[in-house]
Amino acid sequence: MDFSHILNSRKITTSVVLGVFLTLLSFGKLYAQEQKAPENSQETKTEQKFDPTETIMTHIGDSHFYHVGGGIAFPLPVILYTNKGVEIFMSSAFGHEGEEIHQGKYAKYALINDKVKAVSGDDKTIDTAVSVFDLSITRNVASLWMSVILLLIIFLSVASSYKKRVGKAPKGLQSFLEPVILFIRDDVAVPNIGYKYARFMPLLLTVFFFILINNLIGLIPFFPGGSNLTGNIAVTMVLSVITLLVVNLNGNKHYWAHIFFPGTVPVWLWPLWWVVELLGIFSRPFALMIRLFANITAGHIIVLSLISLIFVFKSVAIAPVSVAFVVFMDILELLVALLQAFIFTLLTSLFIGTAIEEHHH
């Protein structure tokens, strides 16, 4: 695919620059809060250092607050299932910075490393007598819902256009998405799956657009972006498990015969063959999971690290260099967002194709 038109788009370039500017504002506000003089006179003598690791991990991790930018954040619902009962409250109960202890109906709760824990005192000592199972609506969950709603709006609209404009040329959003859909069908599904491709097209299109939209949302440094959904290994694991189930549940007799009764392999080697093939069944979706997680998370870390250089060196002189590299990385991340969605979809179709392929004599 030729992505040169993306690089030449003024809208894309303007969006990237605006995103970098807003991200810098966000970091500036955060850094200013870090540098406020503490009440203790002894601490004022020791200047607090900017911790890039903590800042980066906070941005790429999940949270019980949806950060808009700077010090603004929306509280999210906290739903706890404990051995004493169910607790429901808003994360604002932990205070703006999440430092306060909330007195619930059954116990006291506090955010410890952004995880809700039951505590027994004001010093945040974990209360082992209360087991907590967190079912909260976190930032990643909220982002997941937003992306699903966006997908439904887009594709219900496109489906409606196809019904209303039967036999006519595509128009509007339909004309924008049709080449992408045809690309997935003609260059991904048909070559790898064969004549049975239509059965798996809904899965392939859903996977492709779900990963793509969430990758793009993750590149926006302010609301409704700022989340790292596809950089969350739990999300990529679920996508990979879906691939694992679809491939193996649709595997035909030739697929399973090749694994357990390989005709061209000596019988005495069959036990070793079984081990290798069974490991292959699980290693392929595992590779999908790690590839998507690692690439998206690494991109976010690099961008945040480059911005952090300004505050680590405490010099405006480093800003032009840092911003230039950030703009370059953001443009590269746009390509990675497309590429990772394509690779995941391509490999999924390839695995399905090997499972349903007819026996060749």
Side-chain angles (χ1 to χ4, degrees):
M1 294 180 66
D2 183 14
F3 296 108
S4 59
H5 62 286
I6 296 177
L7 297 177
N8 293 328
S9 172
R10 291 185 179 180
K11 291 182 179 180
I12 293 294
T13 306
T14 305
S15 300
V16 170
V17 173
L18 179 61
V20 172
F21 175 71
L22 290 171
T23 306
L24 287 171
L25 284 180
S26 162
F27 269 76
K29 178 93 177 197
L30 189 65
Y31 183 65
Q33 291 173 356
E34 291 284 335
Q35 297 300 321
K36 282 181 181 177
E39 295 178 1
N40 192 320
S41 58
Q42 258 187 340
E43 292 181 3
T44 55
K45 296 178 182 178
T46 308
E47 186 182 359
Q48 292 183 352
K49 292 184 178 180
F50 173 74
D51 186 359
T53 303
E54 182 182 352
T55 304
I56 291 170
M57 296 309 294
T58 300
H59 279 71
I60 67 171
D62 205 356
S63 175
H64 285 82
F65 294 88
Y66 210 119
H67 296 276
V68 178
I72 305 172
F74 294 130
L76 296 171
V78 177
I79 306 170
L80 306 176
Y81 180 78
T82 71
N83 55 346
K84 295 185 178 182
V86 178
E87 297 263 25
I88 301 176
F89 54 91
M90 296 299 289
S91 60
S92 55
F94 295 121
H96 180 68
E97 299 294 334
E99 297 295 331
E100 299 178 12
I101 295 175
H102 171 64
Q103 177 62 62
K105 184 178 179 181
Y106 303 107
K108 290 182 177 180
Y109 303 98
L111 279 177
I112 301 175
N113 296 326
D114 222 352
K115 305 291 183 184
V116 180
K117 302 289 184 182
V119 295
S120 57
D122 295 336
D123 57 348
K124 295 188 177 181
T125 303
I126 296 176
D127 187 357
T128 54
V130 181
S131 58
V132 178
F133 189 67
D134 196 351
L135 299 172
S136 302
I137 309 302
T138 60
R139 181 173 60 191
N140 281 343
V141 176
S143 178
L144 173 64
W145 287 357
M146 284 192 295
S147 64
V148 169
I149 292 170
L150 185 59
L151 279 169
L152 288 173
I153 292 172
I154 291 173
F155 286 100
L156 288 177
S157 172
V158 171
S160 176
S161 297
Y162 274 110
K163 290 179 181 178
K164 293 177 181 178
R165 300 177 57 81
V166 177
K168 297 181 180 179
K171 184 180 179 182
L173 187 61
Q174 179 189 4
S175 64
F176 177 75
L177 288 180
E178 185 172 292
V180 182
I181 295 171
L182 291 178
F183 170 76
I184 297 297
R185 186 193 69 181
D186 298 338
D187 295 320
V188 175
V190 173
N192 293 308
I193 298 177
Y195 68 93
K196 296 181 181 179
Y197 76 91
R199 182 181 177 186
F200 302 98
M201 276 298 292
L203 170 68
L204 297 178
L205 288 173
T206 302
V207 167
F208 177 80
F209 284 104
F210 176 81
I211 294 175
L212 176 60
I213 286 178
N214 282 289
N215 285 351
L216 296 176
I217 288 176
L219 293 177
I220 305 172
F222 50 89
F223 185 84
S227 60
N228 186 32
L229 187 66
T230 45
N232 186 313
I233 198 166
V235 174
T236 60
M237 180 182 70
V238 171
L239 292 173
S240 301
V241 168
I242 291 172
T243 298
L244 174 69
L245 294 175
V246 170
V247 169
N248 291 284
L249 291 178
N250 287 280
N252 57 25
K253 61 181 181 180
H254 304 295
Y255 172 74
W256 292 110
H258 172 75
I259 293 174
F260 293 105
F261 307 105
T264 58
V265 177
V267 176
W268 61 273
L269 273 178
W270 280 13
L272 180 60
W273 179 271
W274 294 337
V275 172
V276 172
E277 287 293 327
L278 290 174
L279 284 175
I281 289 175
F282 293 98
S283 64
R284 287 179 289 185
F286 180 78
L288 289 178
M289 174 184 73
I290 296 298
R291 181 185 290 106
L292 180 58
F293 160 73
N295 279 280
I296 300 303
T297 302
H300 287 202
I301 290 175
I302 291 171
V303 170
L304 293 168
S305 299
L306 290 169
I307 296 173
S308 297
L309 290 176
I310 300 171
F311 308 106
V312 170
F313 289 101
K314 301 177 185 177
S315 173
V316 182
I318 197 72
V321 178
S322 180
V323 170
F325 276 106
V326 167
V327 171
F328 171 75
M329 282 304 304
D330 275 340
I331 294 173
L332 188 62
E333 280 295 290
L334 285 173
L335 300 180
V336 171
L338 289 165
L339 189 61
Q340 288 305 315
F342 167 69
I343 290 174
F344 198 103
T345 308
L346 175 68
L347 292 179
T348 298
S349 67
L350 183 62
F351 298 155
I352 293 172
T354 58
I356 67 173
E357 185 182 18
E358 297 296 336
H359 182 65
H360 296 289
H361 295 284

Short mmCIF file of all heavy atoms in Angstrom, two decimals, residues 137-171:
data_model
loop_
_atom_site.label_atom_id
_atom_site.label_comp_id
_atom_site.label_asym_id
_atom_site.label_seq_id
_atom_site.Cartn_x
_atom_site.Cartn_y
_atom_site.Cartn_z
N ILE A 137 -15.39 0.58 35.81
CA ILE A 137 -15.33 1.12 34.45
C ILE A 137 -14.10 2.02 34.40
O ILE A 137 -14.13 3.18 34.79
CB ILE A 137 -16.59 1.93 34.10
CG1 ILE A 137 -17.86 1.12 34.39
CG2 ILE A 137 -16.55 2.38 32.64
CD1 ILE A 137 -17.94 -0.18 33.66
N THR A 138 -12.99 1.46 33.95
CA THR A 138 -11.73 2.21 33.90
C THR A 138 -11.61 2.97 32.58
O THR A 138 -12.50 2.90 31.72
CB THR A 138 -10.54 1.27 34.07
OG1 THR A 138 -10.55 0.30 33.00
CG2 THR A 138 -10.60 0.53 35.40
N ARG A 139 -10.51 3.69 32.43
CA ARG A 139 -10.28 4.48 31.21
C ARG A 139 -10.28 3.59 29.96
O ARG A 139 -10.86 3.96 28.93
CB ARG A 139 -8.97 5.24 31.33
CG ARG A 139 -8.64 6.10 30.12
CD ARG A 139 -7.40 6.95 30.39
NE ARG A 139 -6.24 6.12 30.67
CZ ARG A 139 -5.09 6.61 31.15
NH1 ARG A 139 -4.98 7.88 31.43
NH2 ARG A 139 -4.07 5.80 31.36
N ASN A 140 -9.65 2.43 30.04
CA ASN A 140 -9.60 1.54 28.88
C ASN A 140 -10.98 0.99 28.55
O ASN A 140 -11.33 0.83 27.37
CB ASN A 140 -8.63 0.38 29.13
CG ASN A 140 -7.19 0.79 28.93
OD1 ASN A 140 -6.90 1.82 28.32
ND2 ASN A 140 -6.26 0.00 29.44
N VAL A 141 -11.79 0.69 29.57
CA VAL A 141 -13.14 0.19 29.33
C VAL A 141 -13.99 1.28 28.68
O VAL A 141 -14.73 1.02 27.73
CB VAL A 141 -13.79 -0.28 30.65
CG1 VAL A 141 -15.24 -0.70 30.41
CG2 VAL A 141 -13.00 -1.44 31.25
N ALA A 142 -13.89 2.51 29.19
CA ALA A 142 -14.63 3.63 28.60
C ALA A 142 -14.20 3.86 27.15
O ALA A 142 -15.05 4.11 26.27
CB ALA A 142 -14.40 4.89 29.43
N SER A 143 -12.90 3.76 26.90
CA SER A 143 -12.39 3.92 25.53
C SER A 143 -12.90 2.80 24.63
O SER A 143 -13.23 3.03 23.46
CB SER A 143 -10.86 3.94 25.54
OG SER A 143 -10.35 4.06 24.24
N LEU A 144 -12.97 1.59 25.17
CA LEU A 144 -13.49 0.44 24.42
C LEU A 144 -14.94 0.69 24.02
O LEU A 144 -15.33 0.46 22.86
CB LEU A 144 -13.37 -0.82 25.27
CG LEU A 144 -14.03 -2.09 24.72
CD1 LEU A 144 -13.36 -2.53 23.43
CD2 LEU A 144 -13.98 -3.21 25.74
N TRP A 145 -15.73 1.18 24.95
CA TRP A 145 -17.13 1.46 24.65
C TRP A 145 -17.26 2.53 23.58
O TRP A 145 -18.10 2.44 22.69
CB TRP A 145 -17.87 1.88 25.93
CG TRP A 145 -18.12 0.75 26.87
CD1 TRP A 145 -17.82 -0.57 26.68
CD2 TRP A 145 -18.74 0.83 28.17
NE1 TRP A 145 -18.18 -1.31 27.77
CE2 TRP A 145 -18.76 -0.49 28.70
CE3 TRP A 145 -19.24 1.86 28.93
CZ2 TRP A 145 -19.28 -0.78 29.96
CZ3 TRP A 145 -19.78 1.58 30.18
CH2 TRP A 145 -19.80 0.28 30.68
N MET A 146 -16.44 3.58 23.70
CA MET A 146 -16.50 4.66 22.71
C MET A 146 -16.14 4.15 21.32
O MET A 146 -16.77 4.53 20.32
CB MET A 146 -15.56 5.80 23.12
CG MET A 146 -16.09 6.65 24.25
SD MET A 146 -15.15 8.16 24.49
CE MET A 146 -13.57 7.52 25.01
N SER A 147 -15.12 3.30 21.23
CA SER A 147 -14.72 2.78 19.92
C SER A 147 -15.79 1.85 19.34
O SER A 147 -16.03 1.86 18.12
CB SER A 147 -13.39 2.04 20.03
OG SER A 147 -13.50 0.90 20.86
N VAL A 148 -16.45 1.07 20.20
CA VAL A 148 -17.52 0.19 19.73
C VAL A 148 -18.70 1.01 19.22
O VAL A 148 -19.27 0.71 18.16
CB VAL A 148 -17.98 -0.76 20.87
CG1 VAL A 148 -19.27 -1.48 20.49
CG2 VAL A 148 -16.89 -1.78 21.18
N ILE A 149 -19.07 2.07 19.96
CA ILE A 149 -20.15 2.96 19.52
C ILE A 149 -19.79 3.61 18.19
O ILE A 149 -20.63 3.72 17.28
CB ILE A 149 -20.44 4.02 20.60
CG1 ILE A 149 -21.06 3.36 21.84
CG2 ILE A 149 -21.38 5.10 20.06
CD1 ILE A 149 -21.16 4.28 23.04
N LEU A 150 -18.54 4.04 18.07
CA LEU A 150 -18.08 4.67 16.82
C LEU A 150 -18.16 3.68 15.66
O LEU A 150 -18.59 4.03 14.55
CB LEU A 150 -16.65 5.17 17.00
CG LEU A 150 -16.03 5.95 15.84
CD1 LEU A 150 -16.86 7.20 15.53
CD2 LEU A 150 -14.59 6.34 16.17
N LEU A 151 -17.75 2.44 15.89
CA LEU A 151 -17.82 1.40 14.86
C LEU A 151 -19.27 1.15 14.43
O LEU A 151 -19.56 1.02 13.24
CB LEU A 151 -17.19 0.10 15.38
CG LEU A 151 -15.67 -0.01 15.33
CD1 LEU A 151 -15.21 -1.23 16.11
CD2 LEU A 151 -15.18 -0.09 13.90
N LEU A 152 -20.16 1.08 15.42
CA LEU A 152 -21.57 0.84 15.11
C LEU A 152 -22.16 1.99 14.28
O LEU A 152 -22.89 1.76 13.30
CB LEU A 152 -22.37 0.66 16.40
CG LEU A 152 -22.14 -0.64 17.16
CD1 LEU A 152 -22.86 -0.62 18.50
CD2 LEU A 152 -22.59 -1.85 16.35
N ILE A 153 -21.84 3.22 14.68
CA ILE A 153 -22.35 4.38 13.95
C ILE A 153 -21.85 4.38 12.51
O ILE A 153 -22.61 4.58 11.55
CB ILE A 153 -21.94 5.69 14.65
CG1 ILE A 153 -22.66 5.82 16.00
CG2 ILE A 153 -22.24 6.90 13.78
CD1 ILE A 153 -22.17 6.99 16.85
N ILE A 154 -20.54 4.12 12.35
CA ILE A 154 -19.94 4.14 11.00
C ILE A 154 -20.53 3.06 10.11
O ILE A 154 -20.99 3.32 8.99
CB ILE A 154 -18.41 3.98 11.10
CG1 ILE A 154 -17.78 5.23 11.73
CG2 ILE A 154 -17.81 3.72 9.71
CD1 ILE A 154 -16.30 5.09 12.02
N PHE A 155 -20.57 1.82 10.61
CA PHE A 155 -20.93 0.72 9.72
C PHE A 155 -22.44 0.55 9.57
O PHE A 155 -22.89 0.03 8.54
CB PHE A 155 -20.26 -0.57 10.19
CG PHE A 155 -18.80 -0.58 9.88
CD1 PHE A 155 -17.86 -0.28 10.83
CD2 PHE A 155 -18.37 -0.85 8.59
CE1 PHE A 155 -16.51 -0.24 10.53
CE2 PHE A 155 -17.03 -0.83 8.27
CZ PHE A 155 -16.10 -0.52 9.24
N LEU A 156 -23.22 0.98 10.54
CA LEU A 156 -24.67 0.99 10.34
C LEU A 156 -25.03 2.03 9.30
O LEU A 156 -25.94 1.84 8.48
CB LEU A 156 -25.39 1.26 11.66
CG LEU A 156 -25.37 0.11 12.68
CD1 LEU A 156 -26.05 0.53 13.97
CD2 LEU A 156 -26.05 -1.14 12.11
N SER A 157 -24.30 3.16 9.32
CA SER A 157 -24.52 4.20 8.32
C SER A 157 -24.14 3.71 6.93
O SER A 157 -24.87 3.94 5.94
CB SER A 157 -23.70 5.44 8.69
OG SER A 157 -23.74 6.40 7.66
N VAL A 158 -22.99 3.02 6.82
CA VAL A 158 -22.54 2.51 5.52
C VAL A 158 -23.50 1.43 5.02
O VAL A 158 -23.84 1.39 3.83
CB VAL A 158 -21.10 1.96 5.64
CG1 VAL A 158 -20.70 1.22 4.37
CG2 VAL A 158 -20.12 3.08 5.92
N ALA A 159 -23.94 0.53 5.93
CA ALA A 159 -24.88 -0.53 5.54
C ALA A 159 -26.20 0.07 5.03
O ALA A 159 -26.78 -0.40 4.04
CB ALA A 159 -25.15 -1.44 6.72
N SER A 160 -26.64 1.15 5.71
CA SER A 160 -27.87 1.83 5.28
C SER A 160 -27.70 2.45 3.89
O SER A 160 -28.61 2.41 3.07
CB SER A 160 -28.23 2.91 6.30
OG SER A 160 -29.35 3.64 5.89
N SER A 161 -26.50 3.00 3.63
CA SER A 161 -26.23 3.60 2.31
C SER A 161 -26.27 2.54 1.22
O SER A 161 -26.78 2.79 0.11
CB SER A 161 -24.87 4.29 2.32
OG SER A 161 -24.85 5.37 3.24
N TYR A 162 -25.74 1.35 1.50
CA TYR A 162 -25.76 0.28 0.50
C TYR A 162 -27.19 -0.16 0.19
O TYR A 162 -27.52 -0.48 -0.97
CB TYR A 162 -24.95 -0.92 1.00
CG TYR A 162 -23.47 -0.83 0.69
CD1 TYR A 162 -22.53 -0.62 1.68
CD2 TYR A 162 -23.02 -0.97 -0.62
CE1 TYR A 162 -21.18 -0.53 1.40
CE2 TYR A 162 -21.66 -0.89 -0.93
CZ TYR A 162 -20.75 -0.67 0.09
OH TYR A 162 -19.42 -0.57 -0.21
N LYS A 163 -28.06 -0.18 1.22
CA LYS A 163 -29.44 -0.60 1.00
C LYS A 163 -30.21 0.45 0.19
O LYS A 163 -31.04 0.11 -0.65
CB LYS A 163 -30.13 -0.83 2.35
CG LYS A 163 -29.63 -2.05 3.09
CD LYS A 163 -30.34 -2.21 4.44
CE LYS A 163 -29.81 -3.43 5.20
NZ LYS A 163 -30.45 -3.55 6.53
N LYS A 164 -29.92 1.72 0.47
CA LYS A 164 -30.65 2.79 -0.20
C LYS A 164 -30.14 3.06 -1.62
O LYS A 164 -30.87 3.55 -2.46
CB LYS A 164 -30.55 4.08 0.61
CG LYS A 164 -31.28 4.02 1.95
CD LYS A 164 -31.07 5.31 2.73
CE LYS A 164 -31.77 5.25 4.09
NZ LYS A 164 -31.53 6.48 4.89
N ARG A 165 -28.86 2.74 -1.85
CA ARG A 165 -28.25 3.08 -3.13
C ARG A 165 -27.83 1.81 -3.90
O ARG A 165 -26.71 1.68 -4.36
CB ARG A 165 -27.03 3.98 -2.91
CG ARG A 165 -27.36 5.29 -2.22
CD ARG A 165 -26.10 6.10 -1.97
NE ARG A 165 -25.35 6.36 -3.18
CZ ARG A 165 -25.64 7.32 -4.05
NH1 ARG A 165 -26.67 8.12 -3.82
NH2 ARG A 165 -24.91 7.51 -5.13
N VAL A 166 -28.75 0.87 -3.99
CA VAL A 166 -28.47 -0.37 -4.70
C VAL A 166 -28.22 -0.07 -6.18
O VAL A 166 -29.03 0.59 -6.84
CB VAL A 166 -29.65 -1.36 -4.55
CG1 VAL A 166 -29.37 -2.63 -5.36
CG2 VAL A 166 -29.87 -1.69 -3.09
N GLY A 167 -27.09 -0.55 -6.69
CA GLY A 167 -26.76 -0.35 -8.10
C GLY A 167 -26.21 1.02 -8.43
O GLY A 167 -25.93 1.30 -9.60
N LYS A 168 -26.05 1.88 -7.42
CA LYS A 168 -25.51 3.21 -7.64
C LYS A 168 -24.07 3.31 -7.14
O LYS A 168 -23.63 2.49 -6.34
CB LYS A 168 -26.37 4.26 -6.92
CG LYS A 168 -27.79 4.34 -7.43
CD LYS A 168 -28.56 5.42 -6.69
CE LYS A 168 -30.00 5.51 -7.19
NZ LYS A 168 -30.77 6.56 -6.44
N ALA A 169 -23.37 4.33 -7.61
CA ALA A 169 -21.99 4.55 -7.17
C ALA A 169 -21.97 4.94 -5.69
O ALA A 169 -22.89 5.61 -5.21
CB ALA A 169 -21.34 5.65 -8.00
N PRO A 170 -20.96 4.49 -4.94
CA PRO A 170 -20.88 4.84 -3.51
C PRO A 170 -20.73 6.34 -3.32
O PRO A 170 -20.18 7.04 -4.17
CB PRO A 170 -19.64 4.08 -3.03
CG PRO A 170 -18.84 3.81 -4.25
CD PRO A 170 -19.83 3.66 -5.36
N LYS A 171 -21.21 6.81 -2.18
CA LYS A 171 -21.21 8.23 -1.90
C LYS A 171 -20.86 8.47 -0.43
O LYS A 171 -21.24 7.71 0.44
CB LYS A 171 -22.59 8.82 -2.23
CG LYS A 171 -22.69 10.32 -2.07
CD LYS A 171 -24.11 10.79 -2.44
CE LYS A 171 -24.24 12.30 -2.26
NZ LYS A 171 -25.63 12.77 -2.57
#
